[in-house]
Amino acid sequence: MKIRAAILSDVGAPFDIRELDLQPPQAGEVLVRVAAVGVCHSDWHLVTGDTKHPMPLVPGHEGAGYIEAIGEGVAGLEVGDLVALNWAPNCGHCFYCLAERPSLCDTYVGPIWAGTMLDGTTRLSMDGQPVYHYSALACFAERCVVPAPCCVKMPEDLSPEIAAVIGCAVTTGVGSVLNTARVRPGSSVAVIGAGGIGLSTIMGARFTGADPIFAIDPLEIRREAAKSLGADKALHPNEAQAAILEATGGRGADYVFEAVGKPELQEWAVELARPGGTVVFSGLSAVGSATNIPGATLVRQEKTVMGSYYGTANTSRDFPLYAHLFQTHRLPLDRLVSNRYSLDQLNEAYDDMLNGRSVRGGVVF
Protein backbone atom coordinates (compact mmCIF):
# COMPACT_ATOMS: atom_id res chain seq x y z
CA MET A 1 0.00 0.00 0.00
CA LYS A 2 0.97 3.66 -0.40
CA ILE A 3 1.44 5.76 2.73
CA ARG A 4 2.68 9.24 3.57
CA ALA A 5 5.59 9.34 5.99
CA ALA A 6 8.46 11.51 7.17
CA ILE A 7 11.81 10.55 5.63
CA LEU A 8 15.23 11.47 6.99
CA SER A 9 17.73 10.98 4.19
CA ASP A 10 20.95 12.14 5.85
CA VAL A 11 22.43 13.72 8.97
CA GLY A 12 21.54 17.40 9.03
CA ALA A 13 18.72 17.09 6.51
CA PRO A 14 15.16 18.23 7.22
CA PHE A 15 12.32 15.76 7.55
CA ASP A 16 10.77 15.25 4.11
CA ILE A 17 7.15 14.10 3.82
CA ARG A 18 7.02 11.57 0.98
CA GLU A 19 4.85 8.79 -0.39
CA LEU A 20 6.30 5.36 0.40
CA ASP A 21 5.40 1.75 -0.25
CA LEU A 22 4.50 -0.32 2.81
CA GLN A 23 4.28 -4.10 2.55
CA PRO A 24 1.63 -6.07 4.48
CA PRO A 25 2.60 -7.58 7.84
CA GLN A 26 4.39 -10.91 7.66
CA ALA A 27 4.43 -13.67 10.29
CA GLY A 28 4.66 -12.22 13.79
CA GLU A 29 3.94 -8.66 12.61
CA VAL A 30 1.09 -6.16 12.86
CA LEU A 31 -0.16 -3.30 10.68
CA VAL A 32 -1.09 -0.21 12.73
CA ARG A 33 -2.98 2.86 11.56
CA VAL A 34 -1.13 5.58 13.43
CA ALA A 35 -3.30 8.03 15.40
CA ALA A 36 -0.76 10.05 17.42
CA VAL A 37 3.04 10.39 17.73
CA GLY A 38 5.07 12.31 20.28
CA VAL A 39 7.71 14.83 19.18
CA CYS A 40 10.65 13.45 21.14
CA HIS A 41 14.25 14.65 21.29
CA SER A 42 15.51 11.11 20.66
CA ASP A 43 14.40 11.38 17.02
CA TRP A 44 16.31 14.66 16.74
CA HIS A 45 19.48 12.77 17.70
CA LEU A 46 19.20 11.16 14.27
CA VAL A 47 19.31 14.59 12.61
CA THR A 48 22.37 15.70 14.59
CA GLY A 49 24.15 12.36 14.17
CA ASP A 50 24.34 11.79 17.93
CA THR A 51 22.50 8.52 17.22
CA LYS A 52 23.93 6.47 14.36
CA HIS A 53 21.43 4.67 12.13
CA PRO A 54 21.16 3.41 8.54
CA MET A 55 19.45 5.89 6.23
CA PRO A 56 17.11 6.80 4.62
CA LEU A 57 14.77 6.06 7.48
CA VAL A 58 11.35 6.88 8.83
CA PRO A 59 11.72 8.21 12.41
CA GLY A 60 9.09 8.20 15.13
CA HIS A 61 9.15 5.95 18.19
CA GLU A 62 6.53 7.38 20.60
CA GLY A 63 3.29 6.38 18.96
CA ALA A 64 -0.13 4.82 19.25
CA GLY A 65 -2.80 3.68 16.85
CA TYR A 66 -5.31 1.04 15.85
CA ILE A 67 -4.54 -2.42 14.51
CA GLU A 68 -5.69 -2.89 10.92
CA ALA A 69 -4.16 -6.26 10.03
CA ILE A 70 -2.37 -9.10 11.80
CA GLY A 71 0.26 -11.47 10.42
CA GLU A 72 0.38 -15.21 10.88
CA GLY A 73 1.11 -16.50 14.39
CA VAL A 74 0.19 -13.32 16.30
CA ALA A 75 -1.79 -14.02 19.47
CA GLY A 76 -3.48 -11.73 21.97
CA LEU A 77 -4.18 -8.88 19.54
CA GLU A 78 -7.19 -8.18 17.34
CA VAL A 79 -8.06 -5.86 14.48
CA GLY A 80 -9.43 -2.63 15.99
CA ASP A 81 -7.39 -2.76 19.19
CA LEU A 82 -5.87 0.51 20.39
CA VAL A 83 -2.18 -0.14 21.02
CA ALA A 84 0.67 1.90 22.46
CA LEU A 85 3.88 1.20 20.57
CA ASN A 86 6.82 -0.17 22.54
CA TRP A 87 10.22 0.69 21.05
CA ALA A 88 12.07 -1.88 23.18
CA PRO A 89 10.25 -5.16 22.47
CA ASN A 90 11.09 -8.11 24.71
CA CYS A 91 11.06 -11.81 23.99
CA GLY A 92 10.16 -13.09 27.46
CA HIS A 93 12.76 -15.86 27.56
CA CYS A 94 16.29 -14.40 27.24
CA PHE A 95 18.60 -13.88 30.23
CA TYR A 96 17.39 -10.31 30.85
CA CYS A 97 13.69 -11.08 30.51
CA LEU A 98 14.01 -13.99 32.92
CA ALA A 99 15.92 -11.70 35.29
CA GLU A 100 12.89 -9.34 35.26
CA ARG A 101 14.73 -6.69 33.22
CA PRO A 102 12.81 -6.90 29.93
CA SER A 103 13.80 -3.38 28.89
CA LEU A 104 17.33 -4.82 28.43
CA CYS A 105 16.15 -7.77 26.29
CA ASP A 106 18.89 -8.57 23.78
CA THR A 107 16.86 -10.69 21.36
CA TYR A 108 15.78 -7.78 19.18
CA VAL A 109 18.72 -5.38 19.58
CA GLY A 110 20.49 -6.33 16.34
CA PRO A 111 17.57 -5.93 13.94
CA ILE A 112 16.27 -2.81 15.67
CA TRP A 113 19.55 -0.93 15.31
CA ALA A 114 19.92 -2.25 11.77
CA GLY A 115 16.59 -0.57 11.03
CA THR A 116 14.85 -3.76 9.90
CA MET A 117 12.20 -6.18 10.95
CA LEU A 118 13.31 -9.31 12.82
CA ASP A 119 14.02 -11.18 9.57
CA GLY A 120 16.57 -8.56 8.49
CA THR A 121 14.40 -6.95 5.80
CA THR A 122 12.35 -3.75 5.71
CA ARG A 123 8.64 -3.34 5.00
CA LEU A 124 9.19 0.21 3.76
CA SER A 125 10.56 1.18 0.36
CA MET A 126 10.73 4.13 -2.00
CA ASP A 127 11.27 3.75 -5.74
CA GLY A 128 12.12 0.11 -5.15
CA GLN A 129 14.87 0.88 -2.61
CA PRO A 130 14.63 -0.04 1.10
CA VAL A 131 13.74 2.58 3.68
CA TYR A 132 14.71 1.74 7.26
CA HIS A 133 12.54 1.64 10.38
CA TYR A 134 13.64 3.62 13.45
CA SER A 135 13.30 1.62 16.70
CA ALA A 136 11.25 -1.05 14.88
CA LEU A 137 8.35 1.43 14.74
CA ALA A 138 8.87 4.19 12.13
CA CYS A 139 5.64 5.79 13.24
CA PHE A 140 6.00 9.30 11.80
CA ALA A 141 3.75 7.83 9.15
CA GLU A 142 0.10 7.22 8.40
CA ARG A 143 0.63 3.49 8.96
CA CYS A 144 3.44 1.27 10.17
CA VAL A 145 4.23 -2.44 10.25
CA VAL A 146 5.81 -3.48 13.53
CA PRO A 147 6.79 -6.71 15.33
CA ALA A 148 3.88 -7.94 17.44
CA PRO A 149 5.84 -7.51 20.74
CA CYS A 150 5.91 -3.77 19.98
CA CYS A 151 2.12 -3.58 20.46
CA VAL A 152 0.65 -3.22 23.95
CA LYS A 153 -3.14 -3.24 24.07
CA MET A 154 -4.62 -0.22 25.86
CA PRO A 155 -8.10 0.58 27.22
CA GLU A 156 -10.44 1.23 24.30
CA ASP A 157 -11.67 4.51 25.82
CA LEU A 158 -8.15 5.94 26.23
CA SER A 159 -7.13 8.83 23.99
CA PRO A 160 -4.50 7.76 21.41
CA GLU A 161 -2.54 10.89 22.34
CA ILE A 162 -2.25 9.66 25.93
CA ALA A 163 -1.37 6.15 24.73
CA ALA A 164 1.39 7.64 22.56
CA VAL A 165 3.14 9.57 25.35
CA ILE A 166 2.92 6.49 27.57
CA GLY A 167 4.95 4.77 24.85
CA CYS A 168 8.10 6.75 25.62
CA ALA A 169 8.21 9.90 27.79
CA VAL A 170 5.89 8.71 30.53
CA THR A 171 7.33 5.22 30.77
CA THR A 172 10.88 6.59 30.81
CA GLY A 173 10.21 9.30 33.39
CA VAL A 174 7.66 7.70 35.69
CA GLY A 175 9.48 4.37 35.43
CA SER A 176 12.79 5.93 36.46
CA VAL A 177 11.09 6.91 39.72
CA LEU A 178 9.01 3.80 40.40
CA ASN A 179 11.15 1.03 38.91
CA THR A 180 14.75 2.26 38.78
CA ALA A 181 15.21 4.44 41.85
CA ARG A 182 12.15 3.25 43.82
CA VAL A 183 11.77 6.64 45.46
CA ARG A 184 10.45 6.57 49.02
CA PRO A 185 7.64 8.80 50.27
CA GLY A 186 8.90 11.99 51.90
CA SER A 187 12.18 11.98 49.96
CA SER A 188 13.55 15.13 48.39
CA VAL A 189 13.82 14.89 44.60
CA ALA A 190 15.56 17.16 42.09
CA VAL A 191 14.91 16.77 38.35
CA ILE A 192 17.32 18.36 35.87
CA GLY A 193 15.46 19.11 32.64
CA ALA A 194 11.72 19.68 32.29
CA GLY A 195 11.08 18.25 28.85
CA GLY A 196 8.84 15.24 28.34
CA ILE A 197 10.98 12.85 30.37
CA GLY A 198 11.68 15.36 33.15
CA LEU A 199 8.03 16.33 33.49
CA SER A 200 7.05 12.66 33.60
CA THR A 201 9.68 12.15 36.29
CA ILE A 202 8.09 14.95 38.30
CA MET A 203 4.66 13.33 37.94
CA GLY A 204 6.12 10.03 39.13
CA ALA A 205 7.82 11.68 42.09
CA ARG A 206 4.60 13.39 43.11
CA PHE A 207 2.74 10.08 42.83
CA THR A 208 5.19 8.43 45.24
CA GLY A 209 4.74 11.17 47.84
CA ALA A 210 8.17 12.72 47.41
CA ASP A 211 8.56 16.07 49.15
CA PRO A 212 9.95 18.54 48.23
CA ILE A 213 10.32 18.19 44.44
CA PHE A 214 12.65 20.58 42.61
CA ALA A 215 12.46 21.10 38.83
CA ILE A 216 15.47 22.67 37.13
CA ASP A 217 15.26 24.13 33.62
CA PRO A 218 16.47 27.34 31.93
CA LEU A 219 13.15 27.85 30.08
CA GLU A 220 10.29 29.58 31.87
CA ILE A 221 7.64 27.73 29.83
CA ARG A 222 8.98 24.43 31.11
CA ARG A 223 9.37 25.63 34.69
CA GLU A 224 5.71 26.65 34.65
CA ALA A 225 4.74 23.24 33.26
CA ALA A 226 6.78 21.57 36.00
CA LYS A 227 4.89 23.45 38.70
CA SER A 228 1.55 22.47 37.18
CA LEU A 229 2.61 18.81 37.19
CA GLY A 230 3.75 18.61 40.80
CA ALA A 231 7.06 20.41 41.36
CA ASP A 232 7.19 22.38 44.62
CA LYS A 233 9.89 24.67 43.27
CA ALA A 234 10.80 25.33 39.62
CA LEU A 235 14.30 26.74 39.46
CA HIS A 236 16.59 28.30 36.89
CA PRO A 237 19.95 26.44 36.86
CA ASN A 238 21.71 29.54 38.16
CA GLU A 239 19.73 29.45 41.41
CA ALA A 240 19.10 25.73 41.79
CA GLN A 241 22.06 24.52 43.82
CA ALA A 242 21.76 27.20 46.51
CA ALA A 243 17.99 26.70 46.76
CA ILE A 244 18.28 22.91 47.10
CA LEU A 245 20.98 23.17 49.75
CA GLU A 246 18.95 25.70 51.70
CA ALA A 247 15.83 23.52 51.60
CA THR A 248 17.67 20.35 52.66
CA GLY A 249 19.72 21.67 55.56
CA GLY A 250 22.84 21.92 53.40
CA ARG A 251 22.82 18.20 52.50
CA GLY A 252 21.53 18.07 48.93
CA ALA A 253 18.65 16.08 47.45
CA ASP A 254 17.93 12.45 48.32
CA TYR A 255 17.39 11.65 44.63
CA VAL A 256 18.58 13.56 41.58
CA PHE A 257 17.36 12.70 38.07
CA GLU A 258 19.23 13.96 35.00
CA ALA A 259 16.65 13.84 32.21
CA VAL A 260 18.57 15.62 29.43
CA GLY A 261 21.56 13.44 28.59
CA LYS A 262 24.36 16.02 28.71
CA PRO A 263 27.61 14.99 30.44
CA GLU A 264 28.03 18.35 32.18
CA LEU A 265 24.54 18.04 33.66
CA GLN A 266 25.17 14.44 34.69
CA GLU A 267 28.27 15.58 36.56
CA TRP A 268 26.27 18.37 38.19
CA ALA A 269 23.59 15.89 39.23
CA VAL A 270 26.17 14.04 41.29
CA GLU A 271 27.04 17.31 43.03
CA LEU A 272 23.39 18.03 43.84
CA ALA A 273 22.84 14.68 45.58
CA ARG A 274 23.43 14.43 49.31
CA PRO A 275 25.96 11.98 50.78
CA GLY A 276 24.26 8.60 50.60
CA GLY A 277 21.94 9.91 47.89
CA THR A 278 20.99 8.40 44.53
CA VAL A 279 21.54 9.86 41.07
CA VAL A 280 19.66 8.54 38.03
CA PHE A 281 20.63 9.24 34.43
CA SER A 282 17.54 8.86 32.23
CA GLY A 283 18.32 11.30 29.43
CA LEU A 284 19.79 9.80 26.26
CA SER A 285 23.42 10.90 25.79
CA ALA A 286 25.18 11.18 22.45
CA VAL A 287 26.92 7.97 21.40
CA GLY A 288 30.60 8.26 22.33
CA SER A 289 30.11 10.98 24.93
CA ALA A 290 31.80 10.61 28.33
CA THR A 291 30.92 11.77 31.83
CA ASN A 292 33.58 12.46 34.44
CA ILE A 293 32.42 11.20 37.84
CA PRO A 294 35.08 11.39 40.58
CA GLY A 295 35.47 8.00 42.18
CA ALA A 296 36.59 9.54 45.46
CA THR A 297 33.22 11.29 45.78
CA LEU A 298 31.30 8.08 45.19
CA VAL A 299 33.35 6.19 47.74
CA ARG A 300 33.73 8.82 50.46
CA GLN A 301 30.13 10.03 50.22
CA GLU A 302 28.53 6.69 49.28
CA LYS A 303 26.57 8.18 46.39
CA THR A 304 24.86 5.78 44.01
CA VAL A 305 24.73 6.51 40.28
CA MET A 306 22.21 4.53 38.22
CA GLY A 307 21.26 4.39 34.56
CA SER A 308 17.61 4.09 33.64
CA TYR A 309 16.80 2.78 30.16
CA TYR A 310 13.13 3.12 29.25
CA GLY A 311 12.30 3.46 32.93
CA THR A 312 13.44 -0.11 33.67
CA ALA A 313 10.10 -0.98 32.14
CA ASN A 314 8.07 -4.11 31.77
CA THR A 315 5.88 -2.59 29.08
CA SER A 316 3.10 -5.20 29.17
CA ARG A 317 2.70 -4.36 32.88
CA ASP A 318 3.60 -0.67 32.95
CA PHE A 319 1.75 0.74 29.91
CA PRO A 320 -1.68 -0.38 31.21
CA LEU A 321 -0.72 0.67 34.74
CA TYR A 322 0.10 4.22 33.68
CA ALA A 323 -3.11 4.38 31.65
CA HIS A 324 -5.04 3.29 34.76
CA LEU A 325 -3.29 5.88 36.93
CA PHE A 326 -4.25 8.54 34.39
CA GLN A 327 -7.85 7.42 34.19
CA THR A 328 -8.12 7.43 37.99
CA HIS A 329 -6.69 10.98 38.15
CA ARG A 330 -3.36 10.07 39.77
CA LEU A 331 -1.08 10.92 36.82
CA PRO A 332 -2.14 14.09 34.93
CA LEU A 333 -0.80 12.89 31.57
CA ASP A 334 -3.23 15.07 29.62
CA ARG A 335 -1.24 18.16 30.67
CA LEU A 336 1.98 16.88 29.11
CA VAL A 337 1.38 17.73 25.42
CA SER A 338 1.36 21.48 24.87
CA ASN A 339 1.44 21.76 21.05
CA ARG A 340 -0.22 19.68 18.33
CA TYR A 341 0.81 19.42 14.70
CA SER A 342 -0.02 17.64 11.47
CA LEU A 343 2.56 15.36 9.85
CA ASP A 344 3.31 18.10 7.31
CA GLN A 345 4.30 20.39 10.20
CA LEU A 346 6.94 18.04 11.61
CA ASN A 347 9.87 20.36 10.92
CA GLU A 348 7.95 23.20 12.57
CA ALA A 349 7.31 20.95 15.57
CA TYR A 350 11.02 20.31 16.05
CA ASP A 351 11.85 23.97 15.53
CA ASP A 352 9.39 24.82 18.32
CA MET A 353 10.94 22.15 20.56
CA LEU A 354 14.49 23.35 20.00
CA ASN A 355 13.61 27.01 20.49
CA GLY A 356 11.58 26.63 23.66
CA ARG A 357 8.16 27.30 22.15
CA SER A 358 6.72 23.96 23.24
CA VAL A 359 6.85 21.73 26.29
CA ARG A 360 5.97 18.49 24.51
CA GLY A 361 4.72 18.39 20.95
CA GLY A 362 2.46 15.79 19.39
CA VAL A 363 1.64 14.86 15.81
CA VAL A 364 -2.00 13.88 15.47
CA PHE A 365 -3.68 12.17 12.51
Side-chain angles (χ1 to χ4, degrees):
M1 71 172 64
K2 299 288 187 181
I3 64 166
R4 295 178 73 248
I7 288 277
L8 182 64
S9 58
D10 201 357
V11 172
F15 298 113
D16 188 14
I17 310 304
R18 301 287 295 274
E19 185 176 78
L20 304 181
D21 291 301
L22 179 64
Q23 296 178 10
Q26 298 186 16
E29 298 172 357
V30 174
L31 171 66
V32 176
R33 174 174 60 84
V34 180
V37 191
V39 177
C40 180
H41 207 287
S42 296
D43 293 293
W44 189 253
H45 287 320
L46 297 164
V47 177
T48 63
D50 288 340
T51 295
K52 311 300 180 185
H53 198 282
M55 295 188 184
L57 64 82
V58 173
H61 69 283
E62 183 182 88
Y66 297 92
I67 294 179
E68 286 196 332
I70 294 175
E72 182 182 351
V74 174
L77 297 170
E78 297 179 359
V79 171
D81 285 346
L82 171 65
V83 292
L85 297 175
N86 159 29
W87 54 257
N90 52 82
C91 67
H93 53 74
C94 72
F95 172 87
Y96 296 103
C97 287
L98 295 177
E100 299 183 359
R101 301 297 293 275
S103 63
L104 299 179
C105 174
D106 61 5
T107 300
Y108 302 118
V109 170
I112 285 175
W113 286 108
T116 69
M117 294 291 99
L118 304 184
D119 65 359
T121 65
T122 70
R123 302 293 167 265
L124 291 165
S125 61
M126 183 173 61
D127 300 327
Q129 299 300 310
V131 175
Y132 296 98
H133 307 244
Y134 181 52
S135 288
L137 302 182
C139 58
F140 276 137
E142 295 173 328
R143 287 171 173 80
C144 58
V145 169
V146 303
C150 291
C151 294
V152 180
K153 186 175 178 178
M154 303 298 280
E156 62 181 15
D157 59 342
L158 187 71
S159 160
E161 186 175 271
I162 298 298
V165 294
I166 286 174
C168 182
V170 170
T171 294
T172 301
V174 175
S176 70
V177 175
L178 302 186
N179 300 329
T180 310
R182 300 184 178 183
V183 171
R184 298 176 180 177
S187 302
S188 56
V189 169
V191 181
I192 301 175
I197 293 174
L199 293 173
S200 297
T201 305
I202 290 164
M203 282 190 280
R206 176 56 63 203
F207 173 73
T208 66
D211 183 35
I213 300 170
F214 306 96
I216 305 169
D217 199 283
L219 298 178
E220 183 176 359
I221 184 176
R222 293 183 176 174
R223 294 198 299 271
E224 290 301 315
K227 286 191 288 187
S228 75
L229 290 170
D232 296 294
K233 293 186 178 181
L235 306 167
H236 189 280
N238 292 342
E239 61 180 346
Q241 190 152 2
I244 292 171
L245 288 173
E246 181 180 1
T248 59
R251 295 184 300 274
D254 298 321
Y255 297 89
V256 181
F257 295 83
E258 198 280 342
V260 181
K262 291 186 176 181
E264 62 270 26
L265 296 180
Q266 293 171 337
E267 293 165 10
W268 188 40
V270 177
E271 289 184 37
L272 292 179
R274 66 163 172 81
T278 297
V279 179
V280 179
F281 297 162
S282 57
L284 186 64
S285 301
V287 174
S289 64
T291 301
N292 179 27
I293 300 175
T297 299
L298 299 186
V299 173
R300 294 178 184 276
Q301 298 186 14
E302 291 193 347
K303 296 184 180 182
T304 299
V305 177
M306 310 175 72
S308 181
Y309 186 62
Y310 210 7
T312 317
N314 179 334
T315 54
S316 60
R317 175 198 67 199
D318 293 345
F319 281 14
L321 170 62
Y322 300 150
H324 173 70
L325 293 177
F326 163 69
Q327 291 182 317
T328 53
H329 310 292
R330 288 178 283 178
L331 285 178
L333 306 184
D334 54 329
R335 299 186 212 160
L336 192 58
V337 177
S338 62
N339 300 51
R340 292 161 181 84
Y341 307 87
S342 68
L343 183 62
D344 291 305
Q345 295 174 306
L346 187 59
N347 287 298
E348 177 186 337
Y350 274 97
D351 187 63
D352 286 347
M353 179 195 75
L354 295 169
N355 289 288
R357 293 188 292 268
S358 71
V359 175
R360 187 69 168 187
V363 171
V364 292
F365 292 81

